[in-house]
């Protein structure tokens, strides 16, 4: 966080008509903590940034990074929103373990007709034509997805080998032969499609690759 963050906090407070004491009560921190943030003396945790953004009805990504706009949320829209837990990050270039956050991070999104939805922060550049790194994808497990997964859908793919699980984000494509491919959407041409149907040999014969969840919404940062 920088002095720019402190300026954004002050700006958001003015937009919301909230004073320092009111904000401290809303996010359950001491008034002196809010004062230190506004002076640039304290670097808050991202969980605190999300709480401040929620209390001031501004975009948490804008508050944390300065990217995008404050996008204040009218009360009538809030009624149609639901909170989604951001449970970690997914590497969009290669298989990797999810990156867990320290604490509960919540993101307000429009209500969705799926159960057990969760959010992941996008890392890497193999999907950067669709999602800038730092964007969020909102997912539901494949077992809870009520529609058919079709070409063009974005999915989180799970790879299991030697008792460990790794994940990546890709776009699904079915070719004329009916084979299923995991395609990158990237400015980096080193990323290549991967066949999902098991015909592609792997170094480990016990390796299992399958769709873990389907992206049903997203929160994209502007590139």
């Amino acid at each position: 966080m920088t002095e720019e963050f402190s300026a954004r906090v002050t700006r958001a407070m003015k937009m919301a008509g909230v004073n320092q004491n009111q904000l401290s009560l809303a996010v359950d921190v001491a008034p002196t903590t809010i004062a230190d943030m506004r002076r640039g003396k304290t670097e808050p945790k991202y969980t605190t940034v999300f709480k401040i953004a929620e209390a001031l009805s501004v975009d948490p990504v804008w508050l944390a990074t300065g990217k995008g706009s404050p996008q204040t949320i009218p009360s009538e829209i809030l009624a149609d929103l639901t909170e989604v837990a951001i449970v970690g990050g997914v590497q969009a270039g290669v298989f990797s373990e999810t990156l867990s956050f320290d604490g509960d991070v919540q993101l307000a999104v429009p209500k969705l007709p799926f159960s057990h939805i969760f959010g992941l922060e996008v890392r890497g550049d193999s999907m950067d034509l669709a999602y800038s790194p730092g964007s969020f994808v909102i997912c539901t497990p494949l077992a809870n997805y009520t529609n058919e997964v079709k070409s063009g859908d974005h999915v989180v793919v799970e790879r299991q080998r030697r008792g460990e699980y790794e994940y990546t984000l890709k776009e699904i494509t079915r070719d004329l032969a009916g084979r299923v491919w995991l395609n990158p959407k990237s400015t980096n041409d080193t990323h290549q499609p991967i066949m999902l149907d098991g015909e592609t040999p792997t170094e480990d014969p016990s390796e299992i690759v399958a769709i873990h969840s389907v992206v049903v919404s997203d929160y994209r940062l502007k590139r």
Side-chain angles (χ1 to χ4, degrees):
M1 299 297 172
T2 66
E3 290 184 3
E4 294 179 355
F5 169 75
S6 63
R8 290 193 294 273
V9 172
T10 298
R11 177 183 173 189
M13 289 172 63
K14 290 179 179 178
M15 291 169 58
V18 173
N19 63 37
Q20 197 162 279
N21 287 335
Q22 291 170 328
L23 181 58
S24 69
L25 288 172
V27 299
D28 194 26
V29 299
T32 53
T33 301
I34 301 297
D36 287 343
M37 289 181 194
R38 297 177 68 188
R39 297 189 187 102
K41 293 182 177 180
T42 299
E43 182 174 324
K45 294 181 179 179
Y46 277 96
T47 51
T48 303
V49 174
F50 272 75
K51 288 179 180 179
I52 292 173
E54 181 180 19
L56 300 178
S57 297
V58 295
D59 181 343
V61 176
W62 168 80
L63 188 63
T65 68
K67 296 178 180 179
S69 63
Q71 296 179 331
T72 54
I73 305 173
S75 58
E76 59 269 20
I77 295 179
L78 286 174
D80 294 324
L81 297 178
T82 186
E83 285 191 341
V84 175
I86 306 300
V87 300
V90 61
Q91 191 77 17
V94 295
F95 282 96
S96 65
E97 295 182 6
T98 54
L99 304 174
S100 298
F101 287 92
D102 181 15
D104 295 328
V105 178
Q106 302 286 330
L107 192 65
V109 302
K111 291 180 179 177
L112 296 162
F114 304 102
S115 59
H116 301 97
I117 58 175
F118 61 93
L120 295 168
E121 182 181 8
V122 179
R123 305 289 179 87
D125 66 357
S126 85
M127 291 290 286
D128 65 354
L129 288 175
Y131 310 105
S132 297
S135 298
F136 298 98
V137 288
I138 311 304
C139 309
T140 190
L142 181 62
N144 298 102
Y145 189 60
T146 54
N147 303 324
E148 179 184 358
V149 179
K150 59 186 184 300
S151 290
D153 285 343
H154 294 172
V155 296
V156 175
V157 181
E158 179 183 77
R159 178 172 69 183
Q160 178 184 358
R161 58 179 180 177
R162 295 186 291 274
E164 297 181 349
Y165 293 85
E166 297 175 314
Y167 303 86
T168 188
L169 176 65
K170 288 291 187 289
E171 181 175 278
I172 284 287
T173 302
R174 284 186 171 86
D175 63 20
L176 294 177
R179 293 170 299 193
V180 179
W181 294 83
L182 307 173
N183 285 299
K185 293 178 67 68
S186 178
T187 56
N188 183 350
D189 59 10
T190 63
H191 298 295
Q192 297 296 315
I194 302 171
M195 192 182 294
L196 182 62
D197 62 8
E199 294 180 11
T200 303
T202 63
E203 296 179 0
D204 185 348
S206 66
E207 180 178 296
I208 299 173
V209 178
I211 296 174
H212 173 273
S213 50
V214 183
V215 176
V216 293
S217 185
D218 57 71
Y219 196 100
R220 307 186 192 199
L221 296 179
K222 295 181 180 178
R223 287 182 282 117

